[in-house]
């Protein structure tokens, strides 16, 4: 399954070079991930409040193919790449005018409130796997 | 007393117009406020952990006089404008090349962890007043 | 006329206090302003490319009434408060669960690419006034 | 050569989980890179104005080892990992209390103002290589 969200590049996302700052792609990856959880009836508040679990990132990467500018409409596509006992890895593709602008990976780990790695809550792992 | 901090405008602070985005001045106001507390042996962690108090902002404003650009050295000056029973108001001036770039006000209120307004912790009020 | 946009508070918008950082309200004000221009067939790129005009902010303010948290749906309402020869002032209200979370003002000035104040482009002033 | 910068984690850098948001590490990598250029008598303004060259990022990554929290002092260490004809790659290590918090890579490419890849300006390549 591919989960897709559309966004507009905001003025504040851009820098002196007239393009979206490279760090802001990760903000849009995460915004898409948030909508993905919402689409599954999940969210990071519920993870924390019901299961005492946070989802810090352990590894992220991004390759930039072409620049995004103010007011561009971008589409972020999320694919569940891998679900491990304690981790989930998402692959993101940012498209602008049907052209790939960036490709990224974000690996999250389940952590309890003492910040120790724990197994993904079963309900969470199940719904995320169902979207693979 | 005037408390001063120097900062460099970062690339990420700027936007397509080639200048620091107006919202980022508030980030530098707060960075200066953080250093101000540190200079007094205080910080927002201690406020929360020892006194159960947070300092949300209730009112902020900024007037922009001239633009700041990437790599500019800016000086942020903080003055304690008013200390009330539950609030403290700071006045900020941003200077670049001896010219005023921006002037702002930030009014904070003491809130407990249930987000109700409370009196400023006595220790905190005392040291902040001592810097007036 | 009241122009309204809905947004979700993102994880990255929040801070250690568990609430949206006060500076981020200005990002949502601007995101709403961008959509407002788009709804009028305008945008800041066209202003710059056709008229050689940028819209820096000269004065902004915000009063915070209640906290917004991760995943909250917020509605930002924009009203054109005043259109002067060189300036336009917007009033913003952020509502969450039918409760006012914040109220702000943003005054923009038309500037040419040498960063001198100029009159608002006639086309721009006309469409903005039509939305008053 | 290892180039090092110290920073304080700001309140605004943190999120609801009480830790620095993962995307902000890239802001500190870049802040360190900016200081590195400054230490060499270079900066991105000069690159653009004298050579017509920008330095967009083509690939970035980060591994997170332990969390950074508000008010933590962090040290960012930069190593020039590779200088190619058109690219330069930096390796970053973030240390907090002598413990590694994060490790990252940032690969930049020289681009002209039409956003085409070009060779690194000779002066720039020379001083960056001298810091290897």
């Amino acid at each position: 399954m591919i989960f897709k969200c559309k966004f507009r590049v905001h003025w504040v996302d851009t820098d002196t070079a007239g393009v979206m700052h490279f760090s802001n792609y990760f903000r849009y990856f995460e915004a898409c991930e948030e909508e993905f959880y919402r689409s599954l009836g999940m969210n990071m508040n519920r993870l924390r409040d019901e299961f005492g679990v946070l989802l810090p990132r352990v590894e992220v990467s991004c390759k930039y193919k072409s620049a995004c500018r103010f007011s561009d409409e971008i589409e972020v596509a999320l694919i569940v790449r891998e679900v491990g006992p304690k981790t989930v890895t998402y692959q993101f593709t940012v498209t602008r005018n049907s052209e790939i602008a960036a490709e990224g990976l974000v690996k999250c780990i389940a952590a309890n409130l003492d910040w120790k790695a724990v197994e993904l809550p079963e309900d969470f792992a199940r719904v995320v796997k169902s979207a693979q």
Side-chain angles (χ1 to χ4, degrees), chain A:
Chain A
M1 201 195 90
I2 303 181
F3 180 81
K4 293 178 177 176
C5 284
K6 286 193 168 137
F7 300 99
R8 284 276 179 188
V9 176
H10 298 299
W11 190 265
V12 70
D13 295 326
T14 62
D15 62 25
T16 290
V19 301
M20 180 145 81
H21 190 264
F22 75 96
S23 67
N24 288 332
Y25 289 77
F26 291 107
R27 295 172 72 118
Y28 284 106
F29 292 172
E30 192 171 64
C32 179
E33 186 189 335
E34 290 166 9
E35 283 302 323
F36 169 69
Y37 294 143
R38 196 167 289 119
S39 78
L40 298 172
M42 266 287 163
N43 83 41
M44 296 203 273
N45 283 339
R46 240 193 89 198
L47 268 188
R48 185 190 50 204
D49 298 341
E50 286 187 25
F51 303 107
V53 163
L54 296 165
L55 272 188
R57 277 85 237 273
V58 281
E59 188 169 353
V60 306
S61 64
C62 189
K63 293 185 188 183
Y64 304 93
K65 307 295 188 182
S66 67
C68 295
R69 290 180 165 78
F70 169 63
S71 198
D72 283 351
E73 191 180 63
I74 57 175
E75 184 179 81
V76 181
L78 173 157
I79 292 174
V80 180
R81 176 82 163 255
E82 195 181 19
V83 184
K86 299 180 177 180
T87 63
V88 52
T89 305
Y90 297 108
Q91 181 183 327
F92 295 97
T93 307
V94 179
T95 312
R96 190 187 47 105
N97 292 338
S98 316
E99 193 189 7
I100 291 178
E103 291 176 314
L105 283 174
V106 172
K107 184 176 185 176
C108 313
I109 195 162
N112 64 20
L113 302 184
D114 296 325
W115 220 251
K116 300 286 175 211
V118 294
E119 300 216 339
L120 291 172
E122 210 174 304
D123 276 14
F124 178 77
R126 189 175 35 75
V127 293
V128 170
K129 276 178 186 162
S130 74
Q132 263 187 313

